[in-house]
Amino acid sequence: MAGAAPSEEALRRALAERQTAVDAQADAVRSLKASGAKEGVDAAVEALKALKIEAGAAARRLQAAVGSGGGAAREEMRQTVVNTLERKLFYIPSFKIYRGVAGLYDYGPPGCAVKSNVLAFWRQHFVLEENMLEVDCPCVTPEVVLKASGHVEKFTDLMVKDEKTGTCYRADHLLKDFCKDKLEKDLTLSPETAAEFKRVLAVLDDLSPEELGAKIKEYGIVAPDTKNPLSAPYPFNLMFQTSIGPTGLSVGYMRPETAQGIFVNFKDLYYYNGQKLPFAAAQIGQAFRNEISPRQGLLRVREFTLAEIEHFVDPEDKSHPKFVDVADLEFLMFPRELQLSGESAKLTKLAEAVSKGTVNNETLGYFIGRVYLFLTRLGIDKSRLRFRQHLPNEMAHYAADCWDAEIECSYGWIECVGIADRSAYDLKAHSEKSGVPLVAHEKFSKPREVEKLVIVPSKKDLGLAFKGNQKMVVEALEAMSEKEAMDMKAALESKGETNFQVCTLGKDVVITKKMVSIGMEKKLEHQRVFTPSVVEPSFGLGRIIYCLFEHSFYTRPSKSEEEQLNVFRFPPIVAPIKCTVFPLVKNQEFDDAAKVLAKELTAAGISHIIDTTGISIGRRYARTDEIGVPFAVTVDSATEVTIRERDSKQQVRVGIDEVASVVKELTEGQSTWTDISFKYPSHIGPQGDQE
Ligand code: AMP
């Protein structure tokens, strides 16, 4: 039985030991030569050569393990995919004839079709399944909304500047690139330094600005383009600012996410839903972020489509009635403990992650499970999909828990969907700023007796003591929490007076017993009023689609084996075009039959193209495989045709009047290719031979 592969650390150690042996032997050879000794020199040189060969082998073993060789293959694969995508107009740099703008891309015809198919499936899988309330709000958003949400103050990334040229870089990206590069390319790293770089990569999102700046300094990281020194990291707000109306006085922003449009409509949506919780609202639309250094094609852009769900739930009951439907799913989960201890993601059953409290609550767990199903049904490879929990500093302070669906592609693990329990933060923030209570009610079937804190300030005594400041003292007394009030009551009863901090006055005042009465009173309540919590799955369409492109791409040799042909194995729901129609040879009868067939496909709502170019069928197949068309219909008679499946290249014979319904069944998932190949006779004809 083969033993386990040695760890990267063992390989680094082995290389370091061999290198030390080479250095020692080289010294020995040098001193032998310097002493003028004749004897033993040849043997020492031979020993040095042998040691160098061993060190070279150890270096190659380490190189293979750390994957810089794999990196070249990844790069090559990415180039092939990206070239195909751009050549076939899946996506193209925007404004290309003017040399483009970094971070802006257009979707061309097949890309547009894939995007709209993914969105249609998203609507079916989430909006339809959960009866979500879909809305469509403007992109231009007034400042007040984004001030309340915290974006004006905090929607920032840390930036560093080239101190001489002023070129801007994202600080965390520079540190990440530095550590990755060292780990992949510097074979002389000691195991300890390699472990340190790995730890930095694991906690990168958790570093404070000061820690990030300190690491950049410690590692001597400089501007990549000029090697000039860098400034300390400082925050840069990612929102595009604009003004609303002609005066320029009303500040607005292009929305950085679609969620705020839903939060500000909560009251109306709650009434629309019959004042019942839980319910979810959804929105698909453009989001804008002025990224510091857009890169990696569709993965980091300045304008992108977001599909977001805001699921409102009672904070005291975050169970989900449909959690059982996803509880048995098992997939890669990467909780923070594993990240911090340097381990890898583990296959975990969702039910276990929720019952152990690794995932904060059932509703959050339910959406994690639904996101897993959504992505894998689209064609994302489940072995390259993991759910990573946010580290403590990475998560917003108000969030209860947060997980990212990350997909591995040639650029590494990429966050494609964020799934967060944002607690009541957003609704509370907008309630406070707008003065409109964004709350829900739970009506009790019978009134409940509750003990309520009652604070009654004596305005007369407070007025005498504080004169013009009386109002602020009264407000501060009324705003006390139950604990503060009870502590004050105890102090007043034991000492007759107490110091009390009034923030709005910026000082402490002395409160005496007669100035306020504090007590608990029994009251009958008919309902509970509360701010709902929100669980938010947020999908970046471009990232999902790009990863899907990579996961679906493969090459296979042409029939002559002279070239490699590109194929996208999109599932039928994603494929930009569902089928192609080829008359086998140019003749009127076949052309007419193809036209009738095309009409029937249109009537059945199946996107298709007719290719009458007359080039070989093999060439025509290759052309459609390259844009991922799953089925090709070759018309070689007026009554019967062949349908060919893209990946198996199998063909069946089907009556021409049945084609539209067979392709519809296949693309809508009512039948699989295996079902169809059992039902219809298989075909190995001249067109098959040409592949
Ligand atoms: P966030 O609100 O930052 O969690 O982002 C939500 C989702 O939007 C992420 O999971 C990504 O899929 C996507 N996303 C965020 N920033 C970008 C960007 N600059 N380009 C493309 N997609 C993005």
Side-chain angles (χ1 to χ4, degrees), residues 308-339:
E308 295 194 290
I309 295 166
E310 309 301 325
H311 177 93
F312 298 102
V313 61
D314 184 340
E316 288 178 14
D317 179 12
K318 291 186 181 173
S319 62
H320 197 291
K322 292 205 288 188
F323 181 69
V324 286
D325 297 349
V326 294
D328 287 337
L329 291 175
E330 193 175 53
F331 43 78
L332 287 174
M333 296 193 90
F334 202 15
R336 49 179 88 97
E337 292 69 39
L338 292 186
Q339 296 169 53

Side-chain angles (χ1 to χ4, degrees), residues 289 291 298-301 304 306 415-418 538 540 543:
R289 299 183 185 183
E291 294 287 346
L298 293 184
L299 297 185
R300 187 164 301 285
V301 290
F304 53 97
L306 269 181
E415 174 207 340
C416 291
V417 187
S538 170
R543 289 194 182 177

